Amino acid sequence: MDGKKIIVAYDGSPDSEKALKLATTLAKAMYANLVLVSVVDLTPLLSDDTGNIGATLDAMRREHENVLETGKMHAEDLGVAVTTAVLEGNTPEVLIKHAHEVRAMMIVVGTRGLGGFKRLLLGSTAQALVTYSDIPVVVAK
Ligand SMILES: Nc1ncnc2c1ncn2[C@@H]1O[C@H](COP(=O)(O)OP(=O)(O)OP(=O)(O)O)[C@@H](O)[C@H]1O
Ligand SMILES: [Mg+2]
């Protein structure tokens, strides 16, 4: 897809849904397309005890694909063009790298995600994106 692109960091959490809605509004105003990205964290595989890491990884990838399918439908219902990508590795690092690859104009992210530390005002993914990205980051509220 050519043209301007906005990355949405999407993990299916309520806050990432807010990010998707905000990104949709921005995309319409800026005549941009959305790129929905969900990153598979590979670290749980280090302690995988199922004896079949390949099957565990496939299941993780499928889960992320399903999450993105839902997000894609939501954004398309609101009238914007969307592509999706399931990527693997360190979430903020991979998001920033992908934003560069597709020449995204910004990354839109939720305040919190699926993690549990409610004490934190800003989740670690959002925090790392704001800290390390040289592409503008918008944190949805
Ligand atoms: N695996 C992921 N793939 C894509 N985007 C993600 C992923 N994890 C988080 N995000 C994005 O980052 C936002 C904030 O989530 P974050 O992970 O920072 O908070 P958290 O899960 O509450 O805390 P923590 O991960 O530090 O325990 C989410 O709303 C989403 O936009
Ligand atoms: Mg998280």
Side-chain angles (χ1 to χ4, degrees):
M1 219 171 352
D2 287 335
K4 291 186 244 176
K5 292 190 179 71
I6 296 174
I7 298 259
V8 186
Y10 192 77
D11 61 0
S13 64
D15 279 7
S16 75
E17 200 59 42
K18 275 193 199 170
L20 178 63
K21 287 225 174 73
L22 175 62
T24 303
T25 306
L26 295 173
K28 282 186 180 172
M30 296 169 154
Y31 301 99
N33 299 317
L34 295 184
V35 182
L36 251 58
V37 180
S38 184
V39 184
V40 183
D41 175 14
L42 299 176
T43 49
L45 293 177
L46 296 172
S47 54
D48 185 70
D49 55 5
T50 62
N52 191 345
I53 283 190
T56 306
L57 179 58
D58 281 348
M60 284 159 68
R61 283 181 180 141
R62 265 199 306 278
E63 210 175 289
H64 284 255
E65 268 153 22
N66 291 339
V67 164
L68 285 187
E69 251 338 282
T70 309
K72 187 171 193 255
M73 276 183 342
H74 292 169
E76 281 174 350
D77 283 349
L78 296 168
V80 294
V82 187
T83 57
T84 62
V86 175
L87 304 173
E88 284 155 21
N90 176 271
T91 304
E93 219 174 280
V94 167
L95 281 164
I96 293 167
K97 188 161 173 269
H98 197 65
H100 277 282
E101 275 167 15
V102 304
R103 297 171 184 275
M105 60 199 298
M106 69 176 86
I107 303 170
V108 185
V109 64
T111 306
R112 307 289 320 279
L114 297 170
F117 292 109
K118 298 278 181 248
R119 286 173 290 125
L120 293 182
L121 299 175
L122 196 59
S124 59
T125 308
Q127 167 94 54
L129 283 171
V130 170
T131 307
Y132 298 113
S133 176
D134 47 354
I135 290 175
V137 176
V138 175
V139 183
K141 291 267 183 171

